[in-house]
Amino acid sequence: MARKFKKLVANSYSRDFRSVAEVVEAELVDPGDGQVLVKNHFGGVNASDINISGGVYFSDGVFPMALGCESAGEVVAVGNGVVGFEEGDLVVSPYLGSAFTEYLYREPARLVKVTDISPGTMSAINAGCTASIGLEVVGEMGSGETVLVTAAAGGVGNWVVQLAKRAGNHVIGTCSTEAKAERLKTLGCDRVILYRDEDLGTVLRSEYPDGIDLIFEQVGEETFDTCIDNVATRGRVL
Ligand SMILES: NC(=O)c1ccc[n+]([C@@H]2O[C@H](COP(=O)([O-])OP(=O)(O)OC[C@H]3O[C@@H](n4cnc5c(N)ncnc54)[C@H](OP(=O)(O)O)[C@@H]3O)[C@@H](O)[C@H]2O)c1
């Protein structure tokens, strides 16, 4: 191999993504020992991208820092000593630095083999797993419960709504606009609270006087306090 490939990197931290992001070229070389070379087919645009390049989550990055949270592609070469992966395997990479690069060098432990890749796969990797693990592992979600999702119209919230509904629960979602409310109803929300028009606490106290069994809270501050005030006995707030 003697070609080059493109990737997007950040050269320093800034909340102004454009000011630090730069497309650079790198040599496309054979993978090193213990490495897998992936040709990315899809890269996910994640709300966290601008927090990472802004130094919000951590501030000890090494620059230039590869950007992007998740990608899906196909294995095109494996280095010596790699077990369990071969050329042609379809994989997802749920780690930082994955998304915005044509090719990706990774250790096998940082790749997950999948049977199919599509743009929808991007959403499932991090947002979908955050919702699923939160609801099922941490939240011990059952069926026939009342589940409240704040910021329901976001990437994670959309997954929470669908998974909670498919598990047989009554799902309440909060969002800002009518258009988002309509979308949330099609995804499975039984009650959408437009937080700009309705007071969350008032609605919960009047329509759910027994409290909410499981709350997936993503907004914080006053919204978090309202959730705590309205959780049912033996309820859970995530
Ligand atoms: N995406 C991931 O892979 C991932 C993984 C792990 C953790 N997380 C965390 O999960 C949370 C949500 O991430 P996301 O990717 O779903 O973000 P997102 O797609 O940007 O959605 C965030 C939602 O928050 C709502 N919102 C924004 N400002 C608000 C405010 N002031 N009051 C109430 N609602 C507000 C917005 O909906 P409205 O316009 O309807 O308010 C928006 O839909 C974040 O804390 C993120 O760090 C995300």
Side-chain angles (χ1 to χ4, degrees), residues 180-191:
K180 291 183 180 185
E182 287 310 310
R183 165 94 178 136
L184 286 177
K185 285 178 197 163
T186 68
L187 292 181
C189 269
D190 299 287
R191 172 70 160 98

Side-chain angles (χ1 to χ4, degrees), residues 46-48 57 70 126-127 130 151 153-157 174-176 180 195 218-219:
N46 194 303
S48 296
Y57 292 162
E70 59 241 331
N126 284 323
T130 299
V156 174
T174 69
C175 68
S176 60
K180 291 183 180 185
Y195 64 80
Q218 305 186 90
V219 176

